C-alpha cells in the first residue's frame, strides 16, 4: 500500500510532537532556561518536520526492497 501525502505529513507531525519534548527536555537540562529550551525545541521541530516530510516523500519514490502487491 502506498502512503498518501497526508499520511506522510501526519506521521511527520506526530513524530515531531514527541521529538520536540525530547529536545526541550535536553535543552532545559543543559541551559536551565525555559525560554531558551522552548526556542531550541520549536526551531528544531519546524526545521525537522519539513526535512522528515521531504525524506519520506523521496523514499516513497524509491523501489529498493519494496514488496510488490
Amino acid at each position: 500500500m502506498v502512503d498518501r501525502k497526508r499520511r506522510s505529513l501526519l506521521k511527520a507531525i506526530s513524530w515531531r510532537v514527541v521529538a520536540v519534548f525530547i529536545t526541550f527536555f535536553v535543552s532545559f537540562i543543559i541551559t536551565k532556561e525555559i525560554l531558551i529550551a522552548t526556542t531550541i525545541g520549536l526551531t528544531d521541530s519546524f526545521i525537522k518536520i519539513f526535512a522528515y516530510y521531504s525524506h519520506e516523500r523521496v523514499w516513497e519514490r524509491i523501489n529498493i526492497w519494496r514488496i510488490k502487491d
Side-chain angles (χ1 to χ4, degrees):
M1 176 180 278
V2 176
D3 277 350
R4 296 190 183 260
K5 291 179 183 179
R6 283 185 279 186
R7 179 176 164 80
S8 293
L9 184 58
L10 183 59
K11 285 168 57 179
I13 291 168
S14 67
W15 170 246
R16 289 314 309 159
V17 168
V18 171
V20 74
F21 286 112
I22 295 168
T23 302
F24 169 81
F25 182 70
V26 171
S27 299
F28 181 72
I29 287 173
I30 293 169
T31 66
K32 305 290 193 264
E33 296 282 338
I34 290 178
L35 182 59
I36 293 172
T38 302
T39 301
I40 291 169
L42 292 176
T43 302
D44 177 70
S45 189
F46 285 122
I47 292 168
K48 287 183 178 173
I49 194 166
F50 293 107
Y52 177 83
Y53 176 79
S54 298
H55 180 262
E56 182 79 12
R57 298 314 309 158
V58 167
W59 269 100
E60 187 59 35
R61 295 173 181 230
I62 296 173
N63 290 321
I64 297 171
W65 297 311
R66 185 178 294 239
I67 298 172
K68 295 181 180 164
D69 294 335

